[in-house]
Amino acid sequence: MLATPLRSSNAPATTTQPPTVFIVDDDEAVRDSLAWLLEANTYRVQAFDSAEAFLESYEPLKIGVLLLDVRMAGMSGLELQERLNQMGNGARFFLPIIFITGHGDVPMAVSTMKKGAVDFVEKPFNESELRAIVERMLAQAQTTAADNLRKRAAEEKLARLTLRERQVLDCIVAGRLNKQIADDLSISIKTVEAHRANVMEKLGVANVADLLKLALSQR
């Protein structure tokens, strides 16, 4: 395995974690050429000479882009794509795949896009096109990771609510007024107001608009 040294981390993907361009190709010349091009454009790069070597160090929630050769000795790029799809854990979202293809592999590469690959580049590479694709896919992966973090933070806040507070929240989301909520749940209006205040405090929101945004982000 040929790899740029990286600090290993099992932490969840975050927007502060620098994204990485992973290169998996059994052709040393191609690996070196891609690594040189991308590092020259300030990208963080890690290169592997086989799919198996990549999987050994793969961290499912690390944000990046995977430049993957279609045809390799051992596990092929297509087989690695299948493995990542089976593993799930955010792979298709935090690690979009750009397939590296020879001229005769283009039809095959197009078919891989139906399985989650986002793009492909042909050998020999057009440097400006490759940079544009990598930049676009890294931005996509980072946006997805940020959305995931927001959703997970919302889930953690909602988990703090008691059953009754969750019922009150559901009624608020449904557009029910305090008196209607009191009737729905057979409790007093003052009790509804108390639960409502607790919900707002636990969720860290100051108004109903923010409350609705947080609650609806999970639906």
Side-chain angles (χ1 to χ4, degrees), residues 169-202:
L169 174 60
D170 289 342
C171 289
I172 295 172
V173 172
R176 307 290 282 171
L177 302 176
N178 284 355
K179 184 178 186 308
Q180 295 172 315
I181 296 173
D183 292 339
D184 292 342
L185 301 180
S186 300
I187 56 178
S188 70
I189 293 179
K190 286 189 176 181
T191 300
V192 172
E193 292 172 345
H195 285 314
R196 185 169 183 145
N198 288 339
V199 168
M200 301 280 280
E201 181 179 356
K202 287 183 178 181

Side-chain angles (χ1 to χ4, degrees), residues 3-30:
T4 301
L6 282 176
R7 182 183 301 174
S8 177
S9 171
N10 292 318
T14 70
T15 54
T16 59
Q17 189 179 35
T20 303
V21 180
F22 299 97
I23 301 169
V24 180
D25 196 309
D26 60 359
D27 186 322
E28 183 177 4
V30 171

Side-chain angles (χ1 to χ4, degrees), residues 10-195:
N10 292 318
T14 70
T15 54
T16 59
Q17 189 179 35
T20 303
V21 180
F22 299 97
I23 301 169
V24 180
D25 196 309
D26 60 359
D27 186 322
E28 183 177 4
V30 171
R31 285 197 312 273
D32 290 347
S33 176
L34 285 170
W36 180 87
L37 170 64
L38 294 167
E39 287 174 341
N41 285 272
T42 71
Y43 289 108
R44 194 167 186 254
V45 177
Q46 189 171 11
F48 301 87
D49 58 8
S50 70
E52 291 86 350
F54 170 78
L55 285 173
E56 285 180 7
S57 65
Y58 172 59
E59 297 174 25
L61 295 182
K62 180 170 284 187
I63 305 168
V65 168
L66 175 57
L67 279 168
L68 178 59
D69 191 16
V70 171
R71 299 182 186 274
M72 294 184 290
M75 182 185 296
S76 71
L78 303 180
E79 290 170 332
L80 176 55
Q81 181 191 30
E82 290 285 358
R83 181 73 64 86
L84 291 173
N85 284 346
Q86 291 167 6
M87 292 172 69
N89 296 324
R92 290 183 63 173
F93 306 104
F94 299 142
L95 191 67
I97 296 174
I98 302 170
F99 271 103
I100 302 170
T101 73
H103 178 70
D105 295 326
V106 172
M108 184 189 303
V110 172
S111 71
T112 66
M113 297 180 73
K114 298 178 181 178
K115 300 178 182 178
V118 294
D119 218 323
F120 65 93
V121 292
E122 281 190 84
K123 303 173 186 176
F125 308 114
N126 179 305
E127 293 185 5
S128 59
E129 179 183 350
L130 177 62
R131 287 196 301 268
I133 294 173
V134 168
E135 183 176 354
R136 186 174 72 250
M137 292 304 102
L138 279 176
Q140 175 183 304
Q142 289 176 295
T143 297
T144 301
D147 289 343
N148 178 271
L149 282 177
R150 284 192 290 269
K151 184 172 291 189
R152 186 166 56 202
E155 289 173 353
E156 291 174 354
K157 289 180 179 180
L158 290 169
R160 300 172 192 164
L161 302 181
T162 65
L163 175 60
R164 180 62 85 186
E165 288 168 349
R166 190 59 190 254
Q167 290 173 334
V168 170
L169 174 60
D170 289 342
C171 289
I172 295 172
V173 172
R176 307 290 282 171
L177 302 176
N178 284 355
K179 184 178 186 308
Q180 295 172 315
I181 296 173
D183 292 339
D184 292 342
L185 301 180
S186 300
I187 56 178
S188 70
I189 293 179
K190 286 189 176 181
T191 300
V192 172
E193 292 172 345
H195 285 314

